[in-house]
């Protein structure tokens, strides 16, 4: 398992600081939430991340992840 760098800036998930570590992905951060990951939409640093891209999208120190309930309809 990769170690966290002690000098790395934390990441923010909906404004809450979380520790960063090498190899951290959007999918892992979404999985830490109490809501069903399939019911959440997310944006990393303001850019939408599709569900299919979450596992392959790396999170860097200082990144900001915004999670919100997906809105459908028109």
């Amino acid at each position: 398992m990769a170690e966290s760098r002690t000098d790395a800036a934390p990441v923010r998930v909906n404004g809450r600081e979380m520790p960063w570590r090498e190899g951290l992905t959007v999918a892992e951060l979404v999985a830490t939430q109490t809501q069903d990951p399939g019911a959440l939409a997310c944006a990393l640093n303001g850019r939408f991340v599709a569900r299919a891209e979450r596992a392959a999208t790396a999170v860097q120190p200082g990144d900001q992840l915004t999670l919100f309930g997906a809105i459908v309809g028109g």
Side-chain angles (χ1 to χ4, degrees):
M1 180 179 238
E3 291 184 38
S4 294
R5 288 184 4 214
T6 57
D7 62 338
V11 297
R12 290 191 167 280
V13 178
N14 287 351
R16 192 178 87 225
E17 286 189 357
M18 298 187 73
W20 177 85
R21 64 169 172 73
E22 188 75 34
L24 185 63
T25 66
V26 169
E28 291 175 277
L29 288 173
V30 172
T32 67
Q33 304 306 300
T34 58
Q35 292 176 287
D36 174 14
L40 293 172
C42 61
L44 182 63
N45 299 321
R47 183 181 81 61
F48 174 75
V49 180
R51 284 184 191 99
E53 298 174 2
R54 291 176 182 177
T57 302
V59 178
Q60 301 302 315
D63 279 354
Q64 294 188 36
L65 183 66
T66 304
L67 303 173
F68 49 94
I71 301 169
V72 296

